[in-house]
Amino acid sequence: MSEIDVPQISGPAAWRGGELLNRADWTRELGPTEVGELLSLAGGVTSGPEGELHVRGTPIETMAPEAFGIPGLSGFLKKVQTDLEEGAGACLIRGFPVAGLSLTQSQGLFRAICSQVGTPLSQSAAGEKVFSVRDAGYREGDPRVRGPNTRKRLSFHTDRCDVIGFLCLQPARTGGENEIVSSATVCNEIGRRRPDLLRLLMQPYCYQRHTVDLGNELPYCHQPIFSWFDGHFAASFLRVLIERAHASPEVPPLTSGQKEALDFLEAVAAEPELHLRFAQAAGDILFMNNWVTMHRRTEFEDFEEPERKRHLLRVWLSVPNSRPLDPAFRANFGATEAGALRGGMKKADPPKARTVG
């Protein structure tokens, strides 16, 4: 590929750092109508016998978006849905009425909100649709460890979905700040400074199956970090799974050029003028389009009291207005067509009972 073949990305998704703060599609406030609809719905949210969420006696898994009866909020969120795909790719919504709600009610209302943006996906082999992001206290090496359930600093990455959503129930005592960056801008900067490395990042890397992805029959898959398909840009990046794959004996090790490309990507994304750092307060909802943004979190320190420890709710969404993807993503995401239901983790079959005889 010659230098002229390396495309530059223009448009609203290619923002730089603090520019995002001045964007009309970045910060939104829930008004009295939207908050009133949520509080009216809260009384109907209950937990079933096995912990499943119900709304007015109906399992939430079976409910269509319009069945929640939140027309004002639905109209509000349809604009968010459009801007996540066609605008900056990130949106901070303030004013979720977290005070006075039980955890079950917060989970149910957040699911209702997310259902207006897309289809919630499983985030684990257990089929979790609402994942609690908090320090679980697992020991080093525990197979249940995921970045979100530690208090460690996370590196820039994307998740296995079109859109990721976070609702902050309780911020940390210190730290735990969000940092987001436009992957389109990162790609542009790499192409401008080191087109040789961009070409490497457009080639497939091997991804190891996550330790908690027990429903996935594939040990690993191949996909590019930066890609274009049918005129649409898409980025997908989780370095820890790349390094695990290329460290296994079945996969060739990363070349020095590939390592340099990964290092350079992370260095560019970390440049202060390119990314935005901010803290979510209780009641803040953050939505991000994973194909045009990357995100990370700073290390945090918790309060001692259990009820004051940092706690966010996370939802992965497949959205109906999504972009088409390079077919290389099919193995990891299940589908690549525009608007297709894709992403998430398959629910694992329960272990078979052992017979004694």
Side-chain angles (χ1 to χ4, degrees):
M1 183 184 296
S2 65
E3 197 164 318
I4 196 170
D5 292 323
V6 177
Q8 283 282 301
I9 306 155
S10 59
W15 47 267
R16 300 172 70 88
E19 292 178 0
L20 192 59
L21 297 174
N22 300 317
R23 296 279 297 266
D25 55 351
W26 164 239
T27 306
R28 290 177 168 86
E29 288 277 349
L30 293 177
T33 297
E34 293 82 35
V35 172
E37 289 180 346
L38 287 172
L39 292 176
S40 178
L41 186 64
V45 178
T46 57
S47 180
E50 297 184 8
E52 69 275 14
L53 292 170
H54 287 70
V55 176
R56 305 185 196 97
T58 301
I60 204 166
E61 292 292 333
T62 67
M63 295 180 66
E66 60 274 14
F68 291 98
I70 46 177
L73 194 55
S74 179
F76 177 98
L77 292 166
K78 288 302 178 186
K79 175 62 174 171
V80 171
Q81 180 193 73
T82 298
D83 288 343
L84 285 169
E85 176 61 28
E86 301 176 11
C91 176
L92 184 67
I93 301 172
R94 300 191 185 277
F96 180 92
V98 66
L101 296 179
S102 68
L103 177 57
T104 295
Q105 288 174 322
S106 292
Q107 291 172 327
L109 296 187
F110 188 41
R111 274 291 307 271
I113 285 173
C114 289
S115 73
Q116 310 303 306
V117 178
T119 301
L121 304 168
S122 169
Q123 300 179 60
S124 71
E128 294 172 279
K129 299 290 181 67
V130 181
F131 181 83
S132 280
V133 178
R134 54 186 168 184
D135 183 11
Y138 294 137
R139 294 178 180 273
E140 193 73 31
D142 191 309
R144 295 170 296 175
V145 169
R146 305 171 71 170
N149 59 23
T150 72
R151 61 181 182 87
K152 296 179 180 179
R153 171 187 173 274
L154 303 181
S155 58
F156 277 112
H157 66 282
T158 61
D159 288 57
R160 203 193 302 178
C161 56
D162 294 321
V163 168
I164 186 170
F166 292 101
L167 166 62
C168 180
L169 301 179
Q170 174 64 47
R173 186 170 78 86
T174 60
E177 294 174 302
N178 298 291
E179 295 182 341
I180 63 173
V181 68
S182 163
S183 49
T185 297
V186 171
C187 183
N188 283 343
E189 288 297 310
I190 296 173
R192 182 175 63 83
R193 305 181 207 176
R194 292 291 304 272
D196 59 319
L197 297 184
L198 178 56
R199 288 193 286 272
L200 288 175
L201 294 168
M202 293 169 62
Q203 297 173 5
Y205 281 72
C206 189
Y207 276 70
Q208 184 77 30
R209 178 180 58 200
H210 200 291
T211 54
V212 299
D213 191 11
L214 303 179
N216 188 350
E217 298 177 355
L218 297 174
Y220 53 81
C221 62
H222 294 86
Q223 64 185 47
I225 294 168
F226 294 130
S227 63
W228 284 259
F229 185 75
D230 197 22
H232 293 269
F233 168 78
S236 186
F237 178 58
L238 186 55
R239 185 164 184 171
V240 64
L241 296 188
I242 293 174
E243 291 183 333
R244 286 178 189 172
H246 287 275
S248 68
E250 295 86 6
V251 177
L254 291 168
T255 67
S256 59
Q258 287 176 316
K259 291 179 182 178
E260 183 182 10
L262 296 177
D263 289 342
F264 194 63
L265 184 161
E266 293 190 314
V268 171
E271 292 177 358
E273 64 273 20
L274 292 191
H275 71 263
L276 176 67
R277 176 184 286 193
F278 61 97
Q280 275 184 270
D284 285 354
I285 296 173
L286 174 65
F287 284 118
M288 292 174 290
N289 182 333
N290 276 296
W291 302 112
V292 295
T293 66
M294 293 185 286
H295 61 279
R296 70 179 181 183
R297 182 198 71 204
T298 65
E299 187 175 3
F300 65 87
E301 183 178 337
D302 260 330
F303 290 98
E304 291 296 326
E305 304 91 330
E307 70 276 8
R308 299 184 68 192
K309 291 185 181 295
R310 184 180 189 268
H311 190 183
L312 278 68
L313 300 180
R314 186 182 77 179
V315 169
W316 284 355
L317 296 171
S318 175
V319 297
N321 61 330
S322 64
R323 64 194 57 206
L325 303 174
D326 187 304
F329 288 104
R330 187 176 301 277
N332 201 17
F333 286 82
T336 59
E337 297 78 16
L341 185 64
R342 62 196 186 196
M345 295 186 185
K346 293 181 180 179
K347 189 174 181 179
D349 294 328
K352 295 181 180 179
R354 296 178 61 187
T355 57
V356 179

